[in-house]
Amino acid sequence: MKKAGTLLFLLILAGAVWCEEAALAEVVINGRAILFYTDDVGIFSATRRLSRDGDPTQPALDTRLTNKGSDVVFEPDMTIGKSLSHPLGTTEFSIRGQGFVYTDHTTYTHGTLRLQAVQGLSEATRVRMRYYYAPNLFLGENEDRRPGKHGLVGESVTSHIWSARLERQVTQDLQISLLGRYGLRRYNETFSHRDTNFWTVGPHLDWRLSHRVKLGIGYHYEQGLADGHEQIQFEDDVSYHNHFATVDLDVELMERLSLVAAVHYERNNWTSSIVGDERQGAHENVVQGEVIVVRQLTEHLRGFAGFQRSNRKQSFETEGIKNTNFFMGIDGTF
């Protein structure tokens, strides 16, 4: 809880200073609060981030890290943004802080920070740049693979991700984007052989099919190279080639009431060539779906509720990993 709280405090403090220095700029604040029930705290974080606008290629998730029990998780989220006009056009800046506070399994509590700048290049084209920081994400108790060591040790990872997205409004109803990103995942010392550098590229499409229906499609190709590919003594190379595809549909059922549904698919092809590594020649499939009902309560306030269902299966394991999350929340823009 302390880590998540610290990040949110820094967000609010930075936002206050920022607003003071740019009093003439329009400032927009978006706040959101979500309450989750999850049936597996060990996989909840990975399920939550599996989306085209999130971090779908999560760190390698061993089966021994899952089936850790259910919990209630509170997710506070705040974004502070402002727009500035200048000779080159308009730039939109924002800072977002997000927390995940676990009721019983407090070791999993963590927070993230995102900085974003959106620069208009023309009336129809803009570039969106982001930096995403997720410090000390606890993954669970994992096998200590160091020579001469035995037993289970806490595994955690810190992620730094830089991304750029070129967005083009082709018609009034159609937008296409090209995403590129580069990232670092850095593990605690015991699992430092899993330290990974990765890059991603892929197109997105947002299409308004009618006045009430919007369609979103995305595809990412990603490669990650871990330090473990040169450290054969660990027999634990988590390097990969990844394919991620997603489709989402937003339907206005009636005035002030909408339904959002999404399906995500991910394929990890592990590239380890180390004899004795369980990932040698192996792959992982992830299929996830979610449904959300959204109610516009006032001009600035929305309520929503929904569920997520995820199924993960490694080719070298007999059973898959399943995760179900139910949630309800509220968000507002001011």
Side-chain angles (χ1 to χ4, degrees), residues 105-288:
H105 301 75
T106 56
T107 311
Y108 289 89
T109 294
H110 64 282
T112 68
L113 182 68
R114 189 192 75 188
L115 307 178
Q116 175 175 275
V118 181
Q119 173 63 51
L121 303 179
S122 68
E123 290 186 1
T125 306
R126 62 183 184 177
V127 61
R128 183 183 305 270
M129 295 167 287
R130 287 178 176 174
Y131 166 65
Y132 173 78
Y133 175 55
N136 300 315
L137 171 61
F138 179 70
L139 300 177
E141 299 288 327
N142 208 345
E143 178 185 354
D144 191 341
R145 295 174 177 265
R146 293 175 297 177
K149 302 290 185 178
H150 303 281
L152 300 178
V153 180
E155 180 183 3
S156 61
V157 61
T158 294
S159 298
H160 302 267
I161 303 174
W162 298 264
S163 67
R165 187 181 306 172
L166 184 63
E167 302 173 349
R168 174 72 176 179
Q169 197 71 38
V170 180
T171 69
Q172 183 177 354
D173 298 322
L174 179 64
Q175 176 181 285
I176 58 174
S177 308
L178 181 62
L179 170 73
R181 68 176 196 163
Y182 177 77
L184 309 174
R185 301 202 195 278
R186 294 295 180 259
Y187 291 75
N188 54 319
E189 183 177 358
T190 303
F191 298 93
S192 60
H193 61 279
R194 289 190 165 192
D195 287 355
T196 303
N197 295 3
F198 63 93
W199 59 267
T200 315
V201 64
H204 292 177
L205 179 148
D206 292 277
W207 187 9
R208 180 174 288 279
L209 302 177
S210 70
H211 176 68
R212 294 178 177 270
V213 181
K214 293 187 293 184
L215 174 68
I217 300 174
Y219 168 77
H220 297 171
Y221 174 75
E222 183 169 302
Q223 285 192 20
L225 184 63
D227 288 354
H229 80 282
E230 295 181 332
Q231 302 176 33
I232 61 174
Q233 70 273 20
F234 293 103
E235 298 180 352
D236 186 36
D237 178 12
V238 297
S239 303
Y240 61 88
H241 293 168
N242 177 275
H243 300 273
F244 170 72
T246 179
V247 177
D248 56 82
L249 196 65
D250 188 335
V251 181
E252 184 181 350
L253 301 176
M254 61 183 67
E255 186 177 2
R256 294 180 175 270
L257 184 66
S258 300
L259 177 70
V260 180
V263 177
H264 316 291
Y265 172 74
E266 185 175 52
R267 166 89 175 203
N268 281 312
N269 293 316
W270 306 112
T271 59
S272 174
S273 60
I274 301 173
V275 176
D277 186 349
E278 63 184 359
R279 287 185 170 83
Q280 184 184 20
H283 64 267
E284 176 188 38
N285 286 317
V286 183
V287 180
Q288 180 173 312

Side-chain angles (χ1 to χ4, degrees), residues 83-92 118-122:
S83 300
L84 292 178
S85 297
H86 48 79
L88 298 179
T90 301
T91 304
E92 301 171 8
V118 181
Q119 173 63 51
L121 303 179
S122 68

Side-chain angles (χ1 to χ4, degrees), residues 70-117:
S70 61
D71 206 346
V72 174
V73 184
F74 174 56
E75 179 188 330
D77 186 318
M78 179 181 288
T79 302
I80 302 174
K82 65 183 178 68
S83 300
L84 292 178
S85 297
H86 48 79
L88 298 179
T90 301
T91 304
E92 301 171 8
F93 297 97
S94 66
I95 304 174
R96 178 187 182 188
Q98 187 178 29
F100 298 89
V101 183
Y102 291 70
T103 303
D104 294 324
H105 301 75
T106 56
T107 311
Y108 289 89
T109 294
H110 64 282
T112 68
L113 182 68
R114 189 192 75 188
L115 307 178
Q116 175 175 275

